[in-house]
Every structure is written in structure tokens, then in C-alpha cells.
Amino acid sequence: MVHLITQLIAQLFDPPHCALCNIFLSQRQLWCHSCAQQLRPVVSTTLSISAAHQMPVFAAAAYAEPIKQLIISKWWSQRVASWQLGDLIWQRTPVSVLEFDYIVPVPLHWRRYAWRGYNQAQIIAQTISKQSGKPVVKLVKRVTATEQQSSVSVEMRDKNVRDAFIFCGDKEQYRGASFLIVDDLMTTGATLKWVAKNVVDSCHPQKINAVVAARTV
Ligand SMILES: [Zn+2]
């Protein structure tokens, strides 16, 4: 009953509307039908991590509206936007049928974390953890506050993140396990590659996959 009343009050003050075009909706959902149809699917890609490890990367959609707005979200609670990204990944990528034991979010440098107050990749990872029942583990640490990848030229991006990460887990505990690396956005793939390289070199995984909310294509 209390839940119903709270829901009615919420409907009254914040009636469901499309997060992109603001049109009112008859039920609470993220986008109206026509905005949701703008989501552009994107084929998976593969990053070469080591001689023995190729890492498939799956994306929920191409980096364009309406998903772009969730990634750079300022207009809404950013945490809510991150949960939505996690749900979209679950619905729109093969992540539910992938084999993995642990989820590894791409870390932020502590200074950027302190400034933003949260890590979008971490929240997406937690959403996937809730769905899959697999734990989120912190195995990689960002030791350099790299320039925002978007402000660096494509050629410099690999160099920019090359030494930005170190492995910080227990190598023996995770040896031979399978991992899912998670981030919000993939552009050149350099960040995903160097996070994965730390995991591969330290844990010699059985399998390594990556999943992102969106990918620039
Ligand atoms: Zn709409």
C-alpha cells in the first residue's frame, strides 16, 4: 500500500516521459518507441591482447543518440543513467551467455573519482553482477591520471594509457579464471587493451571478454 502511494505521488510529480524527446509515456520506461528504435546496433570487434589472447568486445549500441545522452548524462541522476547502461548491456549484448568468473571494471584515477564521486564503469559492472551473480573485483589500478582520451589524438591514445594501469590483485587466486572487462565507452580500444593486458599477464586467464555500453564506429 505504502509502495502504491509512493508510486502514485511519483507519477503525479514526475510523470513517465521519454529521456530523449520528453514525450509523456503511459508507463515508466527509458525511451518512447520511436527514440528506442534509433539505437544503432554494432557488430562485435576483437582486440589482440597477447600472442595467446584475443579479446572480443561487445557493445550495446553505436555511440549516437539515444545512448550517447546516457553516457554524458548531466540532466539526470548520473548514477541512474549508469544503471540504465548496465541494463541495456544485459539486454542487447551476448553477456548473459558469456562464460566469466569475475567482472573487472575499468578503473578511474582516484583524483578523477574524487572529483566525479563515482565511476560509471563500476556501476555498470555492479548492474551486470546483479544480473549474472558473478562478483565485481578490483584487479587493476589506474596509477596515472591520464588525459581524457577524447582530448588526445587517435595516434596518441595508445601511448597515453600504456603505463596508466597496474595489476593490484592476488595473482594466484585469479590464475586461470575467466574475466569480463567492463567500460562505458570504447573509442580506439586502447584503454580496454591495457587493462586487459594487466589481467592477462598476471592471471593467464582461461577466457577474457569485454563489454561496453557504446562504441564509436
Ligand atoms: Zn522519445
Side-chain angles (χ1 to χ4, degrees), residues 18-23 25 30-36 38:
C18 172
L20 189 66
C21 71
N22 278 324
I23 192 176
L25 301 170
L30 189 53
W31 296 303
C32 71
H33 184 67
S34 91
C35 287
Q38 290 176 37

PDB file of all heavy atoms in Angstrom, residues 18-23 25 30-36 38, ligand 1:
ATOM      1  N   CYS A  18       9.799  10.208 -21.974  1.00  0.00           N
ATOM      2  CA  CYS A  18      10.954   9.708 -22.721  1.00  0.00           C
ATOM      3  C   CYS A  18      12.188  10.525 -22.343  1.00  0.00           C
ATOM      4  O   CYS A  18      12.147  11.764 -22.346  1.00  0.00           O
ATOM      5  CB  CYS A  18      10.694   9.814 -24.220  1.00  0.00           C
ATOM      6  SG  CYS A  18      12.147   9.434 -25.210  1.00  0.00           S
ATOM      7  N   ALA A  19      13.297   9.832 -22.039  1.00  0.00           N
ATOM      8  CA  ALA A  19      14.510  10.516 -21.598  1.00  0.00           C
ATOM      9  C   ALA A  19      15.163  11.314 -22.720  1.00  0.00           C
ATOM     10  O   ALA A  19      16.015  12.152 -22.468  1.00  0.00           O
ATOM     11  CB  ALA A  19      15.495   9.494 -21.045  1.00  0.00           C
ATOM     12  N   LEU A  20      14.758  11.068 -23.958  1.00  0.00           N
ATOM     13  CA  LEU A  20      15.384  11.814 -25.052  1.00  0.00           C
ATOM     14  C   LEU A  20      14.485  12.945 -25.564  1.00  0.00           C
ATOM     15  O   LEU A  20      14.899  14.093 -25.601  1.00  0.00           O
ATOM     16  CB  LEU A  20      15.758  10.874 -26.203  1.00  0.00           C
ATOM     17  CG  LEU A  20      16.598  11.522 -27.298  1.00  0.00           C
ATOM     18  CD1 LEU A  20      17.969  11.927 -26.778  1.00  0.00           C
ATOM     19  CD2 LEU A  20      16.775  10.577 -28.485  1.00  0.00           C
ATOM     20  N   CYS A  21      13.244  12.633 -25.925  1.00  0.00           N
ATOM     21  CA  CYS A  21      12.409  13.662 -26.558  1.00  0.00           C
ATOM     22  C   CYS A  21      11.377  14.244 -25.585  1.00  0.00           C
ATOM     23  O   CYS A  21      10.623  15.149 -25.958  1.00  0.00           O
ATOM     24  CB  CYS A  21      11.717  13.098 -27.789  1.00  0.00           C
ATOM     25  SG  CYS A  21      10.417  11.927 -27.378  1.00  0.00           S
ATOM     26  N   ASN A  22      11.348  13.699 -24.341  1.00  0.00           N
ATOM     27  CA  ASN A  22      10.480  14.241 -23.290  1.00  0.00           C
ATOM     28  C   ASN A  22       8.984  14.005 -23.465  1.00  0.00           C
ATOM     29  O   ASN A  22       8.199  14.490 -22.664  1.00  0.00           O
ATOM     30  CB  ASN A  22      10.719  15.745 -23.101  1.00  0.00           C
ATOM     31  CG  ASN A  22      11.910  15.982 -22.218  1.00  0.00           C
ATOM     32  OD1 ASN A  22      12.153  15.223 -21.269  1.00  0.00           O
ATOM     33  ND2 ASN A  22      12.688  17.007 -22.531  1.00  0.00           N
ATOM     34  N   ILE A  23       8.594  13.271 -24.479  1.00  0.00           N
ATOM     35  CA  ILE A  23       7.174  12.985 -24.681  1.00  0.00           C
ATOM     36  C   ILE A  23       6.664  12.157 -23.488  1.00  0.00           C
ATOM     37  O   ILE A  23       7.405  11.340 -22.930  1.00  0.00           O
ATOM     38  CB  ILE A  23       6.991  12.221 -26.024  1.00  0.00           C
ATOM     39  CG1 ILE A  23       5.523  12.164 -26.416  1.00  0.00           C
ATOM     40  CG2 ILE A  23       7.551  10.819 -25.957  1.00  0.00           C
ATOM     41  CD1 ILE A  23       5.310  11.513 -27.783  1.00  0.00           C
ATOM     42  N   LEU A  25       4.826   9.293 -21.413  1.00  0.00           N
ATOM     43  CA  LEU A  25       4.643   7.867 -21.707  1.00  0.00           C
ATOM     44  C   LEU A  25       3.568   7.298 -20.793  1.00  0.00           C
ATOM     45  O   LEU A  25       3.333   7.814 -19.700  1.00  0.00           O
ATOM     46  CB  LEU A  25       5.955   7.100 -21.474  1.00  0.00           C
ATOM     47  CG  LEU A  25       7.163   7.563 -22.295  1.00  0.00           C
ATOM     48  CD1 LEU A  25       8.438   6.904 -21.788  1.00  0.00           C
ATOM     49  CD2 LEU A  25       6.956   7.240 -23.771  1.00  0.00           C
ATOM     50  N   LEU A  30      12.475   3.831 -20.385  1.00  0.00           N
ATOM     51  CA  LEU A  30      13.544   4.779 -20.642  1.00  0.00           C
ATOM     52  C   LEU A  30      13.243   5.720 -21.809  1.00  0.00           C
ATOM     53  O   LEU A  30      13.367   6.932 -21.694  1.00  0.00           O
ATOM     54  CB  LEU A  30      14.829   3.988 -20.887  1.00  0.00           C
ATOM     55  CG  LEU A  30      16.133   4.749 -20.980  1.00  0.00           C
ATOM     56  CD1 LEU A  30      16.326   5.651 -19.770  1.00  0.00           C
ATOM     57  CD2 LEU A  30      17.278   3.769 -21.111  1.00  0.00           C
ATOM     58  N   TRP A  31      12.860   5.137 -22.943  1.00  0.00           N
ATOM     59  CA  TRP A  31      12.622   5.947 -24.132  1.00  0.00           C
ATOM     60  C   TRP A  31      11.259   5.615 -24.728  1.00  0.00           C
ATOM     61  O   TRP A  31      10.748   4.507 -24.536  1.00  0.00           O
ATOM     62  CB  TRP A  31      13.697   5.664 -25.194  1.00  0.00           C
ATOM     63  CG  TRP A  31      15.072   6.047 -24.783  1.00  0.00           C
ATOM     64  CD1 TRP A  31      15.485   7.282 -24.376  1.00  0.00           C
ATOM     65  CD2 TRP A  31      16.232   5.212 -24.734  1.00  0.00           C
ATOM     66  NE1 TRP A  31      16.831   7.261 -24.083  1.00  0.00           N
ATOM     67  CE2 TRP A  31      17.309   6.007 -24.295  1.00  0.00           C
ATOM     68  CE3 TRP A  31      16.470   3.874 -25.032  1.00  0.00           C
ATOM     69  CZ2 TRP A  31      18.604   5.517 -24.134  1.00  0.00           C
ATOM     70  CZ3 TRP A  31      17.748   3.379 -24.882  1.00  0.00           C
ATOM     71  CH2 TRP A  31      18.808   4.186 -24.438  1.00  0.00           C
ATOM     72  N   CYS A  32      10.705   6.542 -25.492  1.00  0.00           N
ATOM     73  CA  CYS A  32       9.492   6.231 -26.238  1.00  0.00           C
ATOM     74  C   CYS A  32       9.863   5.269 -27.370  1.00  0.00           C
ATOM     75  O   CYS A  32      11.048   5.073 -27.674  1.00  0.00           O
ATOM     76  CB  CYS A  32       8.874   7.511 -26.811  1.00  0.00           C
ATOM     77  SG  CYS A  32       9.815   8.243 -28.150  1.00  0.00           S
ATOM     78  N   HIS A  33       8.877   4.683 -27.996  1.00  0.00           N
ATOM     79  CA  HIS A  33       9.121   3.668 -29.016  1.00  0.00           C
ATOM     80  C   HIS A  33      10.016   4.202 -30.142  1.00  0.00           C
ATOM     81  O   HIS A  33      10.979   3.552 -30.543  1.00  0.00           O
ATOM     82  CB  HIS A  33       7.770   3.182 -29.569  1.00  0.00           C
ATOM     83  CG  HIS A  33       7.907   2.081 -30.558  1.00  0.00           C
ATOM     84  ND1 HIS A  33       8.374   0.828 -30.199  1.00  0.00           N
ATOM     85  CD2 HIS A  33       7.677   2.048 -31.890  1.00  0.00           C
ATOM     86  CE1 HIS A  33       8.407   0.073 -31.283  1.00  0.00           C
ATOM     87  NE2 HIS A  33       7.989   0.785 -32.313  1.00  0.00           N
ATOM     88  N   SER A  34       9.726   5.425 -30.585  1.00  0.00           N
ATOM     89  CA  SER A  34      10.476   5.896 -31.758  1.00  0.00           C
ATOM     90  C   SER A  34      11.923   6.261 -31.390  1.00  0.00           C
ATOM     91  O   SER A  34      12.844   6.045 -32.169  1.00  0.00           O
ATOM     92  CB  SER A  34       9.738   7.026 -32.466  1.00  0.00           C
ATOM     93  OG  SER A  34      10.127   8.257 -31.979  1.00  0.00           O
ATOM     94  N   CYS A  35      12.165   6.786 -30.182  1.00  0.00           N
ATOM     95  CA  CYS A  35      13.555   7.059 -29.760  1.00  0.00           C
ATOM     96  C   CYS A  35      14.321   5.756 -29.545  1.00  0.00           C
ATOM     97  O   CYS A  35      15.492   5.648 -29.918  1.00  0.00           O
ATOM     98  CB  CYS A  35      13.583   7.918 -28.503  1.00  0.00           C
ATOM     99  SG  CYS A  35      13.118   9.628 -28.833  1.00  0.00           S
ATOM    100  N   ALA A  36      13.654   4.757 -28.928  1.00  0.00           N
ATOM    101  CA  ALA A  36      14.322   3.471 -28.678  1.00  0.00           C
ATOM    102  C   ALA A  36      14.745   2.822 -29.995  1.00  0.00           C
ATOM    103  O   ALA A  36      15.770   2.147 -30.068  1.00  0.00           O
ATOM    104  CB  ALA A  36      13.404   2.536 -27.902  1.00  0.00           C
ATOM    105  N   GLN A  38      15.927   4.270 -32.474  1.00  0.00           N
ATOM    106  CA  GLN A  38      17.125   4.912 -33.037  1.00  0.00           C
ATOM    107  C   GLN A  38      18.423   4.243 -32.583  1.00  0.00           C
ATOM    108  O   GLN A  38      19.493   4.547 -33.102  1.00  0.00           O
ATOM    109  CB  GLN A  38      17.178   6.375 -32.610  1.00  0.00           C
ATOM    110  CG  GLN A  38      16.120   7.254 -33.244  1.00  0.00           C
ATOM    111  CD  GLN A  38      16.196   8.659 -32.676  1.00  0.00           C
ATOM    112  OE1 GLN A  38      17.267   9.179 -32.405  1.00  0.00           O
ATOM    113  NE2 GLN A  38      15.052   9.276 -32.462  1.00  0.00           N
TER     114      GLN A  38
HETATM  115 ZN    ZN B   1      11.316   9.807 -27.292  1.00  0.00          ZN
END
